Amino acid sequence: MKRATAPPIEETGFELTAEQRYHGARMVASAANDAEDCALLLAVLGLEPADGIAAPPPRSTRPAG
C-alpha cells in the first residue's frame, strides 16, 4: 500500500525515512499497554498503524564499519 509520507517537521525540517517509520511504529506497538494506547502514541509521534504493517523497507547497503 503506497501512501504519501508525512511532511517534514517544521521546527527541524527533518523527515523520517520509510525504514525509520516502520521501526518506530513497531517499537511503539511493542511498548503500548493496549490498542488505544498504541493509537495515541502513534498519533503523537506522527506515525500511522500502516507504517508498521507493511513489509520492512529494504535495508541500505552501506558498508559496515
Side-chain angles (χ1 to χ4, degrees), residues 16 53 57:
L16 297 175
I53 293 175

Side-chain angles (χ1 to χ4, degrees), residues 2-65:
K2 183 84 172 166
R3 79 172 183 87
T5 59
I9 299 170
E10 292 181 23
E11 295 83 24
T12 64
F14 184 73
E15 186 173 340
L16 297 175
T17 66
E19 184 176 5
Q20 289 170 323
R21 296 180 70 80
Y22 173 80
H23 290 291
R26 303 290 287 194
M27 181 62 70
V28 167
S30 71
N33 293 323
D34 55 27
E36 186 177 337
D37 186 40
C38 183
L40 176 63
L41 292 169
L42 288 172
V44 167
L45 294 171
L47 299 172
E48 295 182 16
D51 290 327
I53 293 175
R59 297 196 70 106
S60 63
T61 56
R62 291 187 285 176

